[in-house]
Amino acid sequence: MDKVVQSAVEAVADIPDGATLAVGGFGLCGIPSVLIHALLDSGVRDLEVVSNNCGVDDWGLGLLLQAGRIRRIVASYVGENKEFARQYLAGELEVELTPQGTLAERLRAGGSGIAAFYTRTGVGTLVASGGLPWRYSPDGSVLVESPPKPVETFTVRGVEHEFVREQAITADVALVRALRGDRLGNLVFHASARNFNPLCAAAGAVTIAEVEELVPVGSLDPDAIHLPGIFVDRVVELSPDEAAEKRIERRTVS
């Protein structure tokens, strides 16, 4: 089945208001920037986004945030986005901060059909007991806070430990970026771009991938494929200029 669509605009055209999106990338590495731009142009709003972070003020998911299109976000790191902090503290945005490894596993579990799992991460903190501020009121009081999560004791290697139960994450649509892909949707990611992209792709009911290089079917070594095409519904081939345009989150050299 040929999964290539002609443009990013066409690929995201049926995403409705209120959709939940799993968006790949790590910092600004491997983010589906072209699909995000197309989503911005589409006018869709009231989105819930699941992503490692929310871009920066002028790039990636930060563009949707500036335009007021995001209602809620589940993320693990948001430190580079001033507009994110402003909206959160002003009560304009609901934020579920999640430990990074837990977020990755929640997405992996969702893509694997696993409803929930237990982890030691967060035991003894507000992650488990509840009370993390998800949404503030304009006056600074907490309007919505995280609920308590079940905690159980398991014996591991002869030692009892407490574990907190975390629910899996699934999304209506996943947006990802790959280094290479074929017309069947088989994808190869580059370096750090592999961190969250495959997890988000598997967790989406519909997965849209932008690829920097579209290659013929059969040219990818099966052992080198990071995400099989069974998880991918639409493929968008980027132009050379689109593939080349990448940002650095924090430049550390002159």
Side-chain angles (χ1 to χ4, degrees):
M1 179 186 297
D2 192 337
K3 300 179 180 179
V4 174
V5 296
Q6 295 305 307
S7 68
V9 172
E10 179 184 342
V12 304
D14 60 350
I15 297 178
D17 292 346
T20 298
L21 308 179
V23 182
F26 191 76
L28 295 186
C29 176
I31 63 171
S33 55
V34 175
L35 290 170
I36 290 171
H37 271 284
L39 204 59
L40 179 67
D41 293 341
S42 77
V44 68
R45 58 184 61 253
D46 197 33
L47 297 170
E48 178 173 355
V49 173
V50 182
S51 184
N52 176 61
N53 59 292
C54 200
V56 293
D57 289 316
D58 63 345
W59 193 247
L61 287 171
L63 297 173
L64 290 173
L65 194 67
Q66 282 186 331
R69 307 289 182 79
I70 299 177
R71 170 184 57 84
R72 187 176 195 272
I73 183 164
V74 182
S76 60
Y77 176 72
V78 294
E80 302 295 333
N81 194 318
K82 294 179 181 179
E83 177 61 14
F84 185 107
R86 188 201 67 77
Q87 288 190 23
Y88 175 46
L89 296 175
E92 300 171 12
L93 180 69
E94 186 169 310
V95 180
E96 182 181 344
L97 286 174
T98 303
Q100 191 166 81
T102 300
L103 178 62
E105 183 63 11
R106 289 179 69 188
L107 287 162
R108 191 198 69 82
S112 302
I114 298 169
F117 60 91
Y118 284 90
T119 176
R120 291 180 67 187
T121 303
V123 171
T125 74
L126 295 179
V127 170
S129 62
L132 286 171
W134 279 1
R135 182 184 286 272
Y136 287 100
S137 295
D139 64 6
S141 61
V142 177
L143 186 63
V144 181
E145 62 182 30
S146 65
K149 299 173 182 177
V151 175
E152 294 192 29
T153 301
F154 296 93
T155 300
V156 179
R157 298 187 181 92
V159 180
E160 288 189 344
H161 298 284
E162 287 188 326
F163 290 76
V164 59
R165 191 177 76 195
E166 293 281 358
Q167 290 190 358
I169 292 175
T170 57
D172 301 316
V173 180
L175 306 178
V176 301
R177 181 173 182 140
L179 175 65
R180 296 184 186 89
D182 64 21
R183 289 182 173 273
L184 299 181
N186 298 303
L187 302 180
V188 174
F189 303 95
H190 177 64
S192 296
R194 190 178 172 187
N195 283 353
F196 275 92
N197 272 303
L199 302 173
C200 289
V206 174
T207 295
I208 308 171
E210 59 181 62
V211 300
E212 297 178 21
E213 181 185 1
L214 185 66
V215 300
V217 173
S219 64
L220 295 175
D221 181 348
D223 285 337
I225 292 172
H226 298 143
L227 186 76
I230 189 67
F231 290 107
V232 179
D233 299 279
R234 303 169 194 169
V235 175
V236 178
E237 181 183 11
L238 302 184
S239 69
D241 288 343
E242 289 172 333
E245 187 176 13
K246 300 174 183 179
R247 302 284 184 92
I248 296 175
E249 190 169 1
R250 179 180 292 181
R251 190 179 297 275
T252 57
V253 295
S254 60

